[in-house]
Amino acid sequence: MPEQNLQGKVVLVAGGAKNLGGLISRTLAADGARIAVHYNSDATKAAAADTVAACIAAGGEAFAIQADLTSVAEIRRVLDAVTGRWGSLYACVNTTGMAVGHPMTEVTEEEFDRHFAINTKAAFFIMAEAARRIEDGGKIVNLVSSLLAAYTGRYSVYAGSKAPLEHFTRALSKELFGRSVSVNNIAPGPMDTPFFWDAAAPGEPEFSKSMSTSGELTKIEDIVPWVRFLLTGGWFANGQTLFVNGGFSTR
Ligand SMILES: NC(=O)c1ccc[n+]([C@@H]2O[C@H](COP(=O)([O-])OP(=O)(O)OC[C@H]3O[C@@H](n4cnc5c(N)ncnc54)[C@H](OP(=O)(O)O)[C@@H]3O)[C@@H](O)[C@H]2O)c1
């Protein structure tokens, strides 16, 4: 398959308003893609509006759509809104997630259920519903975590609820054989966003920095080129989890 041009391509970025998802939206829009900028909470509404404006200013088309994606009905509503507006779906990039950094002895039932609702259930049905609508040659990308290749405590419920995505990705990519659709995960290292800082223990940022070749945390700018690559020239990677982390963990 030749390298894909993103001009006019329809892309849903779940969690596409801010941080990593926000930069993905803006970058793909600058390539001419039409971006559905999904967001969840009221607190993210203004960021979603800013991102939509930036996407349009960059030359793309964009609209914002709110949904709690732990509901399958809401996932269907979002994807129907995208295909209803633009008539197709080229790619779905799922950046949604949540994390607490608690020892297992301190993880509550509510935290467990919430992690598996967002990190596991939402991802499963986003992938499945995207696959129902995606065009031949399309792409599905999920964000997971480099903790999937780390030997560490404190992130049992976070890493444990992201881990199933590797199996979902293998299964769905195989089921879509013959249509040139690729399904992959990108696993960033500890990344310099509030998501990391809110969960990190004292001393963890310094340790994480020391584990990377850059001596720094992963930056959102380190990850976006890989998303872009999977959506354009990198179509032959399929069913994979790509660890993009400066060497923080390997497998
Ligand atoms: N930062 C790190 O250290 C790090 C490292 C490795 C991997 N990752 C992964 O990278 C991805 C992006 O993380 P980030 O650092 O850019 O943080 P982020 O902006 O907080 O990304 C998490 C996203 O999930 C959305 N979300 C949470 N609950 C949701 C729900 N019920 N329904 C729909 N969306 C929901 C959030 O939206 P609202 O805020 O509007 O609820 C937010 O947009 C995540 O999947 C994360 O697991 C992060």
Side-chain angles (χ1 to χ4, degrees):
M1 174 179 289
E3 174 147 349
Q4 296 293 296
N5 180 328
L6 293 179
Q7 189 67 41
K9 293 281 201 312
V10 175
V11 181
L12 168 62
V13 185
K18 62 185 180 182
N19 299 321
L20 177 57
L23 188 60
I24 292 169
S25 295
R26 291 167 192 235
T27 302
L28 301 181
D31 287 332
R34 296 186 277 187
I35 309 291
V37 177
H38 158 267
Y39 70 100
N40 173 48
S41 66
D42 286 346
T44 310
K45 187 173 183 177
D50 286 350
T51 298
V52 166
C55 288
I56 293 168
E61 293 177 51
F63 73 101
I65 185 162
Q66 187 281 331
D68 179 344
L69 298 179
T70 61
S71 156
V72 177
E74 285 291 274
I75 292 170
R76 291 181 178 141
R77 180 179 67 79
V78 168
L79 281 155
D80 286 344
V82 176
T83 54
R85 187 180 183 108
W86 286 319
S88 62
L89 179 69
Y90 172 69
C92 177
V93 181
N94 171 29
T95 77
T96 65
M98 76 167 292
V100 293
H102 297 169
M104 276 186 73
T105 50
E106 294 175 16
V107 173
T108 67
E109 181 178 2
E110 194 278 334
E111 285 173 339
F112 182 96
D113 289 345
R114 194 83 193 128
H115 277 75
F116 277 83
I118 295 169
N119 292 342
T120 314
K121 178 187 172 187
F124 182 97
F125 286 103
I126 290 168
M127 294 169 73
E129 293 297 326
R132 288 168 176 266
R133 295 162 177 81
I134 206 147
E135 63 196 58
D136 288 358
K139 315 285 185 281
I140 297 173
V141 178
N142 284 297
L143 272 296
V144 293
S145 168
S146 283
L147 292 172
L148 299 188
Y151 180 35
T152 184
R154 292 188 62 253
Y155 289 109
S156 55
V157 74
Y158 172 52
S161 56
K162 286 282 192 181
L165 274 63
E166 296 206 77
H167 294 283
F168 303 161
T169 292
R170 291 188 187 104
L172 184 60
S173 60
K174 196 88 177 183
E175 291 164 11
L176 294 173
F177 266 27
R179 294 187 47 206
S180 300
V181 174
S182 71
V183 187
N184 292 289
N185 299 311
I186 294 177
M191 192 164 62
D192 191 3
T193 71
F195 188 96
F196 168 77
W197 291 100
D198 290 350
E204 186 179 336
E206 293 70 29
F207 174 75
S208 297
K209 289 177 186 179
S210 76
M211 297 287 282
S212 168
T213 184
S214 66
E216 299 290 341
L217 297 174
T218 298
K219 295 182 175 17
I220 58 175
E221 292 82 1
D222 297 324
I223 302 304
V224 172
W226 288 77
V227 176
R228 190 168 175 274
F229 178 60
L230 287 177
L231 268 51
T232 54
W235 71 274
F236 201 56
N238 198 14
Q240 307 295 321
T241 297
L242 308 174
F243 288 82
V244 183
N245 60 22
F248 167 82
S249 61
T250 68
R251 199 175 57 185

